[in-house]
Amino acid sequence: MIRRGLLIGAFAVSAALFARPVSAQGPQATTPIEHFVVLMQENHSFDNYFGTYPGADGIPEGACVPNDPADAGAGCVEPYWLGTDPSRDLDHDRAAFLEQYNEGRMDGFVSAVTHGSSDGRGAMGYYDDRDLPYYWNIADEYVLFDRFFQSAGGGSISNHMFWVTGTAGVGETIPDEGFGELPTIFDRLEKQGISWKFYVQNYDPTINLRHQGVGDRASQVVWVPLLNYARYLDDPELTSHIVDLDEYYTDLERGTLPSVSYIVPSGASEHPPGSIRAGQRFVRTLITSLMRSDAWSSSAFMWTYDDWGGFYDHVAPPQVDEWGYGFRVPTLLVSPYARLGHVESTTLDFTSILKFIEENWGLAPLAGRDAQANNFMTAFDFSQPPREPQFLAATRGEESRLTANRALVYAAYGFAVVLPLAVIAWALFGRGTPPPGLPSGEMARAGGRRS
Amino acid sequence: MTELSIPRPAAARLRSLDTADLSQVAIWVYLAVAVGAGIFVRLWQINALGFNSDEAVYAGQAASIAHDPELSKFFPVFRAHPLLFQSILSLGFQFGVSDLFGRLLSAGFGVATVILAYQLGSQLYGRRAGLFAGLFMALMPYHVIVSRQVLLDGPMVFFSTLTLYLLARYALSGRAAWLYGAGAAMGLTFLSKETSILLLGAMYAFFALSPSVAIRLRDGLISLGIMALVILPFPISVLLAGRSDTGGQYLVWQLFRRPNHDWMFYPSEVPWAIGPLLIVVALAGLWLLRKERSWRETLLLSWIVVPALFFQLWPVKGFQYLLPIAPAFAVLAGRTLARWSVDADLGSIGKRLANAWVGPVLASVIALSLLIPAWQRVQPAQTDSFLAGSGGVPGGREAGAWINENVPEGGQILTIGPSMGNIVQFYGHRKAYGLAVSPNPLHRNPAYEPVDNPDLLIRSNELQYIVWDSFSADRSSFFSDKLLRYADRYHGRVVHTQTVTVDGPDGETQKEIIVIYEVRP
């Protein structure tokens, strides 16, 4: 106990000495986390990414989802490794959620996709460490959440709104007039003078509520909810916080990373049929850059997925209100204070991110959801000194092959040493004379004998 | 103990060459002095400098066999060469990887070779010649330098000398068991380093040129069969481990790689390393005693000429490649001096005394001529240039230790060439890529990974550090300049510098030998 008290005391002293926010204004963080970075990727369920991860609540043994929940004779589909199969964009709207959820029976994953005119079998595909080596390496070293639910049982718009406002907004639509005065976490931060930025990969300032863009570019207004607020668009001070992702790297280099950073991707979102490897490279670059910066020792980086993308997940989400929760989504936390190789099973959702920010900087809740949400403080261990950065590999280890190699080498070369030793010992200590009739051997020729 | 009784004039000379005027105690004392001197020069400051590239690779392989969790990430078990020495080394690494232990093991093989040289000389020309041969091997700079390093050549020369010794025993006795033993020892020589297979050519030349040493076909085949059995684990373990493609690629690379030294490399390097005086005495003996020429000289000359000729013609050259010829030279020189001592005119007391001392005095002069350069070479030289295989690399271990302590785990490094990359990986425990590694598989060691696009790797944060070193820069100014351009382009910030004190025209100055840059996109 004394030792623990000393540790905590030492920590408190060092935290007081060295804690220095980038922004001189605003309240101090209540934990050693002075920089919180959160990235929202796209469209994968927990079981789709970590369903076979050891130690996590993954795909149950014998899982098989019926082709038609209403027809027991129609057979079922077992989860299968997607491997190199092309990834497909499955139905993942509110209707698909409700059919897959099926009032908690969780048996509509295949049929809902089939009804959406796709091959329903695709919902049962999963990836593992062969496809996601970096993410699995992160899980091995930092924190993986296996009870992290999307806030709304629906698609991108409502879930991004929960991420920023603690509410669903108005559901899966963006009002023509925008979200008006609906408060955001950034309003709270701005009011308290806490630095923040919303980093957008390939940010195009001309695409917003008023000019929503076409094709893929239209997703910018969905993934950046602030672009659907007239008051953010019309206030240069507020607009200046929405920046291209390039600034994330320059902020890291210059030591100007704000206290709270939201990040959304563009091409590397992992949204099917996008490349999950490209997504890993993107996330790895973000994390590695953070680790190389001075901010690392007082930072936390979390990334999650805005919805399940239509993929199977076996855990029935608790229903806390009319919107959700939706299904579980992969979420990971990297921080010098993160627990080592920890699977965190506290029930969380996107509003838990708001809860963390609010508690860390002493802000008032935005809505009922974030007020009641669980925090993920238990994923940290603030009693430990900050861990050194660790650039994790984008490949997995080959432990078993190495062990096999060792046994093979010792067996082969052991034989190779024993055989000559035996032959040479025989030559040294054995008795014998040259074969009769062989004129070889100087001593033999000379009639000499050994004694 | 062997006693010869050969009732012919030549045999009488042989006997007098043996123990005529040396007591058993004296023999042991002289041998102990030679071995002690050999141990001393091999252990002096043995670990003052860190590993060079080859040492790092072999020790890294041994660490991988010992399943060291850090080094097995960077050094695959199966690379180019067989794994006999690495396997033995790995037994010690079970208790922790230590560069000192690696070098001590290598020195142990070196000292054992000194004793074998004594035995070989004794068998061929008597104890006195054996003692001279042992003393010369103990102090010969060539053997001292190589056997202080974790290289495959030291153990290979031990086993090749053992092969030579067993062949001599066969030729002396005619007992087939010695021939079988020679085959087994030849197998171990191969398992130490596969290039030694060319010594089979030396064996063939010996039997072909020595009609007095008959060999039955059946015995020859059995000996070859034993050798093949001993060698067999090498290809089998490579095959079972699924690494046969690596072996094949390495062979192709060796066959077609570009010459790394010019034609004068061996003539300009090796005689000085063996000892010019020793060579002169050995050759003088061959000439002066030409009337007594027997299979003994044929055996030793075959052991010298075949490797020397082969590696002179072979485009790929290395400082230590000719080391197997060293014991043969030592024995030939020992023979000359021993012969000189006992075969002189015994007419007067003065002449007898003079002749009795000529051999030892001349041997002392040769020993001194070997000891002085050997002593100079075993000092931990501070230099900014380096010849592969000639010793440790100044500053490499220290730079690696800095990397291990300061570069985040998983960090990756770009070096000029793979040599410094190996050192960085061994001491720094971080992945290193050599910029000079060719993207063309025919022009690179298949164990090395080329960097196809360094810009991309730096831009995507895959490479975070650049290590420049003067040794590699000496060999390739092109890649040195290119590496420094990357440091310049990506905001390279010097985070560590390793220096040595060198003598210059203005006295002692500090010279940078290794510079570590941190680079950012």
Side-chain angles (χ1 to χ4, degrees):
Chain A
M1 283 301 287
I2 292 172
R3 193 176 169 190
R4 190 177 170 190
L6 285 172
L7 274 174
I8 293 170
F11 166 71
V13 170
S14 58
L17 283 173
F18 298 110
R20 184 178 58 82
V22 169
S23 167
Q25 45 187 310
Q28 296 266 343
T30 58
T31 71
I33 306 302
E34 296 170 20
H35 305 280
F36 180 64
V37 184
V38 58
L39 163 72
M40 184 68 89
Q41 292 286 89
E42 295 288 316
N43 292 43
H44 290 279
S45 72
F46 182 86
D47 280 348
N48 181 240
Y49 266 19
F50 290 96
T52 58
Y53 185 81
D57 183 4
I59 300 168
E61 186 113 2
C64 195
V65 174
N67 283 311
D68 182 354
D71 179 2
C76 64
V77 181
E78 292 181 0
Y80 68 95
W81 179 54
L82 273 164
T84 53
D85 285 2
S87 169
R88 284 179 296 115
D89 188 11
L90 308 175
D91 293 286
H92 54 279
D93 54 14
R94 177 74 180 165
F97 168 78
L98 291 173
E99 186 173 350
Q100 292 184 325
Y101 177 66
N102 198 12
E103 298 181 335
R105 286 187 285 277
M106 304 291 284
D107 57 3
F109 284 93
V110 177
S111 58
V113 175
T114 305
H115 293 156
S117 72
S118 258
D119 178 3
R121 186 173 173 274
M124 301 304 292
Y126 66 82
Y127 298 102
D128 62 20
D129 61 341
R130 288 166 287 185
D131 319 293
L132 300 161
Y134 180 66
Y135 290 170
W136 282 49
N137 285 340
I138 288 280
D140 287 349
E141 294 295 328
Y142 295 98
V143 177
L144 170 68
F145 297 89
D146 69 353
R147 276 290 185 284
F148 201 108
F149 297 89
Q150 56 183 94
S151 293
S156 292
I157 296 176
S158 57
N159 280 300
H160 277 89
M161 286 305 289
F162 268 114
W163 184 41
V164 169
T165 70
T167 74
V170 295
E172 288 301 320
T173 57
I174 298 171
D176 291 342
E177 69 282 8
F179 291 107
E181 295 303 315
L182 184 65
T184 73
I185 190 66
F186 306 108
D187 294 330
R188 293 279 194 275
L189 294 168
E190 189 69 15
K191 188 175 176 188
Q192 292 298 319
I194 298 163
S195 57
W196 65 276
K197 274 186 184 176
F198 204 118
Y199 297 102
V200 184
Q201 190 181 27
N202 300 325
Y203 178 49
D204 182 348
T206 65
I207 297 175
N208 53 47
L209 172 69
R210 292 155 186 157
H211 307 94
Q212 296 199 356
V214 292
D216 283 350
R217 300 301 293 138
S219 60
Q220 182 172 290
V221 293
V222 177
W223 296 351
V224 188
L226 299 187
L227 296 177
N228 299 315
Y229 280 81
R231 59 193 176 87
Y232 274 84
L233 298 177
D234 296 335
D235 182 341
E237 165 57 23
L238 289 176
T239 308
S240 69
H241 292 266
I242 307 169
V243 296
D244 191 274
L245 185 63
D246 285 352
E247 275 196 29
Y248 170 74
Y249 302 108
T250 51
D251 282 339
L252 287 174
E253 195 178 336
R254 292 173 186 160
T256 53
L257 185 72
S259 299
V260 176
S261 303
Y262 270 49
I263 300 176
V264 291
S266 177
S269 71
E270 300 169 53
H271 191 306
S275 162
I276 58 173
R277 292 192 179 277
Q280 283 183 101
R281 280 197 297 273
F282 173 63
V283 174
R284 188 165 180 238
T285 301
L286 293 173
I287 293 175
T288 305
S289 300
L290 177 62
M291 286 180 167
R292 299 184 66 191
S293 74
D294 294 338
W296 163 252
S297 60
S298 57
S299 67
F301 185 103
M302 174 180 264
W303 82 100
T304 184
Y305 293 76
D306 72 332
D307 63 56
W308 82 116
F311 291 108
Y312 169 71
D313 192 79
H314 78 281
V315 175
Q319 296 303 293
V320 296
D321 61 20
E322 62 179 307
W323 297 106
Y325 300 146
F327 298 121
R328 294 184 307 166
V329 286
T331 306
L332 296 103
L333 176 75
V334 176
S335 166
Y337 294 98
R339 291 183 185 278
L340 179 66
H342 176 65
V343 176
E344 176 62 48
S345 298
T346 304
T347 298
L348 304 165
D349 75 313
F350 299 141
T351 63
S352 299
I353 294 167
L354 300 176
K355 180 83 166 188
F356 172 80
I357 296 169
E358 290 158 4
E359 290 196 352
N360 200 46
W361 280 279
L363 307 178
L366 289 161
R369 267 290 193 90
D370 57 318
Q372 291 166 19
N374 287 321
N375 206 328
F376 47 83
M377 287 292 186
T378 46
F380 295 100
D381 178 3
F382 292 125
S383 68
Q384 68 181 11
R387 290 162 59 183
E388 291 297 320
Q390 188 178 5
F391 301 155
L392 294 179
T395 54
R396 295 286 277 178
E398 297 178 318
E399 290 287 312
S400 55
R401 190 172 64 74
L402 286 173
T403 309
N405 280 349
R406 180 167 64 156
L408 189 66
V409 167
Y410 282 140
Y413 285 86
F415 167 79
V417 169
V418 168
L419 177 64
L421 284 180
V423 174
I424 294 168
W426 176 50
L428 274 173
F429 303 112
R431 287 189 166 276
T433 52
L438 184 69
S440 178
E442 193 166 85
M443 282 194 302
R445 288 193 303 277
R449 292 290 179 270
R450 293 163 58 83
S451 61
Chain B
M1 161 134 188
T2 301
E3 185 177 319
L4 298 176
S5 174
I6 305 173
R8 290 192 298 192
R13 272 203 303 278
L14 281 173
R15 185 173 56 187
S16 65
L17 279 167
D18 194 34
T19 55
D21 57 349
L22 285 175
S23 71
Q24 191 62 38
V25 173
I27 289 169
W28 281 110
V29 169
Y30 291 141
L31 182 61
V33 168
V35 170
I39 291 173
F40 183 75
V41 290
R42 277 165 184 77
L43 297 190
W44 175 257
Q45 302 265 15
I46 189 170
N47 210 30
L49 297 179
F51 280 165
N52 60 45
S53 171
D54 287 347
E55 290 183 284
V57 168
Y58 302 136
Q61 281 181 294
S64 290
I65 297 170
H67 210 196
D68 180 85
E70 283 294 334
L71 293 173
S72 54
K73 287 186 270 187
F74 309 114
F75 297 97
V77 170
F78 296 101
R79 285 168 73 114
H81 303 297
L83 298 167
L84 179 61
F85 178 60
Q86 298 91 319
S87 302
I88 299 169
L89 188 54
S90 75
L91 297 174
F93 283 180
Q94 302 287 344
F95 306 100
V97 175
S98 152
D99 47 9
L100 176 62
F101 174 76
R103 283 182 169 159
L104 288 178
L105 180 66
S106 194
F109 274 104
V111 173
T113 308
V114 170
I115 296 169
L116 266 181
Y118 159 74
Q119 289 287 359
L120 177 65
S122 299
Q123 282 295 322
L124 293 177
Y125 301 111
R127 298 285 169 82
R128 187 183 294 266
L131 285 173
F132 288 146
L135 180 66
F136 298 155
M137 276 304 287
L139 301 177
M140 184 188 291
Y142 200 13
H143 193 253
V144 169
I145 292 164
V146 175
S147 63
R148 285 164 53 92
Q149 302 172 58
V150 182
L151 296 177
L152 306 183
D153 304 83
M156 180 188 77
V157 170
F158 169 79
F159 288 118
S160 71
T161 310
L162 179 63
T163 308
L164 201 51
Y165 169 76
L166 294 168
L167 276 177
R169 294 296 296 261
Y170 170 73
L172 278 167
S173 71
R175 274 188 69 214
W178 293 116
L179 189 63
Y180 304 157
M186 187 61 217
L188 290 175
T189 311
F190 177 91
L191 286 184
S192 301
K193 194 172 181 183
E194 77 287 354
T195 51
S196 62
I197 195 72
L198 66 94
L199 290 174
L200 270 183
M203 289 170 80
Y204 177 81
F206 165 60
F207 284 116
L209 297 172
S210 305
S212 65
V213 182
I215 179 171
R216 287 205 311 188
L217 181 63
R218 194 191 70 172
D219 291 336
L221 290 176
I222 290 174
S223 181
L224 278 175
I226 290 172
M227 186 191 79
L229 263 180
V230 175
I231 286 174
L232 208 55
F234 172 51
I236 285 183
S237 59
V238 171
L239 264 176
L240 288 178
R243 289 292 181 275
S244 54
D245 55 336
T246 305
Q249 289 166 7
Y250 186 76
L251 183 65
V252 169
W253 175 70
Q254 282 286 20
L255 286 174
F256 296 105
R257 67 182 283 197
R258 293 169 185 151
N260 56 346
H261 291 289
D262 61 31
W263 272 77
M264 289 306 291
F265 176 71
Y266 289 127
S268 61
E269 292 287 340
V270 171
W272 297 105
I274 290 179
L277 194 52
L278 183 146
I279 293 174
V280 167
V281 168
L283 296 179
L286 285 173
W287 174 254
L288 295 172
L289 304 173
R290 60 188 179 280
K291 287 180 184 169
E292 296 174 10
R293 185 173 172 275
S294 71
W295 58 267
R296 293 170 172 79
E297 293 73 50
T298 308
L299 176 63
L300 296 172
L301 283 173
S302 301
W303 221 251
I304 292 171
V305 172
V306 171
L309 199 61
F310 178 87
F311 281 117
Q312 183 59 36
L313 296 174
W314 192 248
V316 182
K317 304 187 193 307
F319 173 72
Q320 69 273 34
Y321 289 4
L322 288 184
L323 195 60
I325 71 176
F329 264 118
V331 171
L332 282 174
R335 172 215 185 203
T336 307
L337 297 183
R339 189 73 182 75
W340 199 320
S341 304
V342 297
D343 202 32
D345 176 5
L346 305 179
S348 70
I349 294 175
K351 275 191 173 178
R352 280 168 60 186
L353 274 175
N355 288 327
W357 284 99
V358 165
V361 168
L362 196 50
S364 303
V365 172
I366 295 174
L368 198 62
S369 77
L370 297 174
L371 176 62
I372 290 170
W375 182 247
Q376 287 171 338
R377 296 294 290 268
V378 300
Q379 304 307 315
Q382 296 292 296
T383 172
D384 60 343
S385 62
F386 177 73
L387 172 62
S390 63
V393 171
R397 175 167 52 197
E398 293 72 17
W402 185 91
I403 287 169
N404 194 14
E405 283 173 19
N406 294 282
V407 170
E409 197 178 321
Q412 302 200 103
I413 292 161
L414 186 66
T415 59
I416 296 176
S419 299
M420 183 51 67
N422 288 329
I423 296 169
V424 162
Q425 292 190 145
F426 186 83
Y427 289 113
H429 295 180
R430 302 292 184 273
K431 176 76 180 170
Y433 296 91
L435 186 62
V437 173
S438 170
N440 183 343
L442 290 177
H443 293 155
R444 70 163 185 262
N445 183 328
Y448 295 137
E449 209 176 325
V451 193
D452 293 329
N453 190 341
D455 285 285
L456 179 64
L457 291 181
I458 296 172
R459 282 177 183 278
S460 58
N461 261 313
E462 297 283 339
L463 280 174
Q464 303 90 14
Y465 293 86
I466 282 177
V467 174
W468 176 91
D469 70 282
S470 61
F471 316 110
S472 308
D474 239 13
R475 290 205 291 268
S476 172
S477 58
F478 172 80
F479 284 108
S480 167
D481 293 345
K482 191 171 177 184
L483 186 94
L484 291 175
R485 279 203 298 276
Y486 285 117
D488 187 45
R489 188 182 303 161
Y490 294 104
H491 321 109
R493 183 170 64 95
V494 176
V495 289
H496 182 72
T497 305
Q498 207 70 47
T499 60
V500 290
T501 307
V502 292
D503 287 328
D506 305 324
E508 286 189 345
T509 53
Q510 290 290 312
K511 185 155 185 186
E512 292 179 347
I513 47 170
I514 299 174
V515 181
I516 305 174
Y517 298 87
E518 186 187 16
V519 285
R520 291 177 179 278

